């Protein structure tokens, strides 16, 4: 009996060289994200963009009230990355207007520096994630110290600017109903920024927000008071027990904004939403745009960062509670199956042209 000998494929030097270059770019870009997060959090991007002429590190440090030595090193990183322009003859730096349009608070909702914060936030729990790779389990919410801060800023870049004019109109007639007065619930409301915006915009409607985080709920209540929103209330609640509340009434509209995939028991959450809807109510769910199959996500413009956030936050916080660990990239197919399993018979999937990150599921009982 003869045997076939399979010769190993020839080592492709060009492919190896191209991958090495790609990985070196990744190392530089990862470092750039860390320094961009610092530039955002310290306000350095904003102050530098506000200068009429190029400035030295000393002048920028004085204007931003920061330590010059740290500002100088930050500027060095920004210069070699091509983010800021550097003039050696005057030892001065400038943030071009075209770059400022992507990394300053004035650029919102197009401030990409907001998202750079996720790299440092996730890096802070890397040791615990590595442990989970060996032992299983997960990393609980409380280990992500600035998570609600960053998510609130993220929401300010994505959900809030589009909510009234783009997201809500995806549901036919809902804006008119909100103006007339209906009951609205936001499940997993976080700091309540979306709900407070709606409460201000539609004073005839009544709004309720639930989240398990005491800090987030306190923030939401404070913002409601500052806005003078008397038509909104917030409460701490494990939303897996949504339908168990004795005072639960039927809602005309229920929303979730990226709040399903990281739940310990997402089916219980969505089933509770289904039971809390009026017979003619609507459930509007924003969730991450992705496929339930990896090959469907190859070429996704945000695929790498979304899988990373999924692994190092969304999936692990669910597993830490003994949950399913769906992760952010659970995908459209699993999402539609879950919504239907929870008793939502009509599931329509919509997209917004300006938003490559999310699907919008319009669900009816």
């Amino acid at each position: 009996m003869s045997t076939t000998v399979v010769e190993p494929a020839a080592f492709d030097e060009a492919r190896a060289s191209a991958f090495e270059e790609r990985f070196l770019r990744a190392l530089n870009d990862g470092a750039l994200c860390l320094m961009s997060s610092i530039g955002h959090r310290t306000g350095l991007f904003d102050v530098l963009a506000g200068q009429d002429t190029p400035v030295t590190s000393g002048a920028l440090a004085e204007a931003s009230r920061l330590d010059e030595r740290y500002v100088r090193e930050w500027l060095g990183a920004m210069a070699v990355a091509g983010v800021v322009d550097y003039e050696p003859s005057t030892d001065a730096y400038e943030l071009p207007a075209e770059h400022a349009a992507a990394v300053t608070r004035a650029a919102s909702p197009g401030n990409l520096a907001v998202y750079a914060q996720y790299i440092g936030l996730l890096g802070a729990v890397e040791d615990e994630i590595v442990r989970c790779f060996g032992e299983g389990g997960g990393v609980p919410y409380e280990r992500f110290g600035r998570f609600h801060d960053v998510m609130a800023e993220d929401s300010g870049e994505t959900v809030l600017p589009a909510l009234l004019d783009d997201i809500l109109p995806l549901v036919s007639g809902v804006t008119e109903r909100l103006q007339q007065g209906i009951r609205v619930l936001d499940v997993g409301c976080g700091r309540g920024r979306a709900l407070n915006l709606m409460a201000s915009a539609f004073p005839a409607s009544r709004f309720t927000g639930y989240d398990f985080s005491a800090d987030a709920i306190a923030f939401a209540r404070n913002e409601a008071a500052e806005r003078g929103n008397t038509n909104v209330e917030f409460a701490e609640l494990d939303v897996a027990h949504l339908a168990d509340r004795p005072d639960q009434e039927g809602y005309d509209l229920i929303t979730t904004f990226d709040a399903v995939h990281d739940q310990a028991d997402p089916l219980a959450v969505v089933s509770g939403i289904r039971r809390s809807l009026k017979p003619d109510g609507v459930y509007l769910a924003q969730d991450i745009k992705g496929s339930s199959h990896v090959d469907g996500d190859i070429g996704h413009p945000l695929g790498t960062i979304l899988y990373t956030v999924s692994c190092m936050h969304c999936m692990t916080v669910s597993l830490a509670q003994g949950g399913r660990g769906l992760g952010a990239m659970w995908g459209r197919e699993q999402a539609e199956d879950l919504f239907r399993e929870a008793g939502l018979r009509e599931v329509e999937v919509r997209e917004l042209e300006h938003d490559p990150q999310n699907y919008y599921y319009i669900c009816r009982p």
Side-chain angles (χ1 to χ4, degrees):
M1 186 172 87
S2 63
T3 57
T4 302
V5 177
V6 179
E7 296 291 337
F11 189 83
D12 189 333
E13 294 286 355
R15 186 177 186 182
S17 178
F19 177 74
E20 183 179 340
E21 291 179 9
R22 182 251 183 274
F23 209 84
L24 287 172
R25 288 197 304 274
L27 291 173
N28 275 318
D29 289 343
L32 175 59
C33 283
L34 289 173
M35 296 301 274
S36 296
S37 176
I38 291 172
H40 171 74
R41 294 178 64 186
T42 59
L44 276 166
F45 281 134
D46 304 308
V47 176
L48 186 56
Q51 304 304 304
D52 295 329
T53 59
V55 293
T56 64
S57 61
L60 180 59
E62 183 177 355
S64 56
R65 299 182 180 180
L66 299 171
D67 183 89
E68 188 277 334
R69 184 65 190 91
Y70 281 90
V71 170
R72 193 191 336 155
E73 205 74 359
W74 179 82
L75 283 167
M78 292 296 107
V80 299
V83 176
V84 305
D85 293 339
Y86 175 61
E87 176 49 59
S89 62
T90 57
D91 195 25
Y93 302 82
E94 182 178 29
L95 181 63
E98 296 81 0
H99 296 187
V103 294
T104 60
R105 287 174 174 83
S108 292
N111 185 2
L112 296 176
V114 167
Y115 306 102
Q117 296 175 97
Y118 282 114
I119 303 305
L121 180 69
L122 299 177
V125 298
E126 181 184 352
D127 288 348
E128 295 177 69
I129 293 292
V130 170
R131 173 186 56 77
C132 291
F133 268 79
E135 300 175 3
V139 180
Y141 275 105
E142 55 266 23
R143 290 292 298 117
F144 296 83
R146 295 188 61 248
F147 179 73
H148 280 294
D149 293 340
V150 177
M151 277 301 298
E153 282 199 89
D154 187 332
S155 177
E157 296 294 312
T158 55
V159 176
L160 300 185
L163 182 59
L164 302 182
D165 295 331
D166 298 305
I167 297 174
L168 289 176
L170 291 173
V171 183
S172 178
V174 79
T175 299
E176 293 75 14
R177 295 184 68 196
L178 283 161
Q179 290 168 343
Q180 294 163 5
I182 60 175
R183 295 195 72 234
V184 181
L185 171 66
D186 188 23
V187 175
C189 65
R191 289 188 165 183
R193 298 192 68 193
L195 210 58
N196 271 314
L197 176 60
M198 287 191 282
S200 296
F202 304 107
S205 291
R206 289 185 295 153
F207 300 86
T208 302
Y210 292 140
D211 198 276
F212 77 97
S213 169
D215 289 342
I217 291 298
F219 187 99
R221 287 171 175 163
N222 287 335
E223 184 182 44
E226 290 172 1
R227 283 174 168 265
N229 289 341
T230 59
N231 58 335
V232 62
E233 60 180 354
F234 296 95
E236 292 176 52
L237 181 71
D238 179 350
V239 293
H241 302 292
L242 175 63
D244 298 337
R245 287 181 65 93
D247 60 340
Q248 194 69 359
E249 303 175 28
Y251 291 92
D252 302 279
L253 173 66
I254 300 179
T255 58
T256 56
F257 297 100
D258 288 337
V260 173
H261 60 254
D262 56 357
Q263 298 292 329
D265 191 346
L267 180 59
V269 173
V270 180
S271 295
I273 288 171
R274 161 66 186 89
R275 291 193 293 272
S276 300
L277 278 173
K278 289 182 177 178
D280 62 346
V282 180
Y283 168 40
L284 171 62
Q286 174 190 287
D287 218 294
I288 296 299
K289 181 178 181 179
S291 170
S292 299
H293 311 286
V294 172
D295 59 312
D297 291 324
I298 294 174
H300 192 305
L302 298 169
T304 303
I305 182 63
L306 289 174
Y307 268 101
T308 301
V309 173
S310 180
C311 177
M312 299 187 72
H313 181 268
C314 307
M315 181 187 78
T316 196
V317 296
S318 175
L319 292 174
Q321 302 172 73
R324 286 183 60 181
L326 287 176
M329 296 302 283
W330 62 319
R332 173 175 174 169
E333 297 88 343
Q334 282 198 75
E336 290 189 67
D337 287 346
L338 178 72
F339 294 147
R340 292 195 172 95
E341 186 180 355
L344 295 158
R345 292 179 296 175
E346 295 183 33
V347 180
E348 180 185 1
V349 186
R350 300 287 299 277
E351 299 179 53
L352 291 173
E353 185 176 353
H354 73 273
D355 184 357
Q357 181 173 314
N358 295 293
Y359 282 130
Y360 297 86
Y361 301 90
I362 302 168
C363 310
R364 293 179 171 86

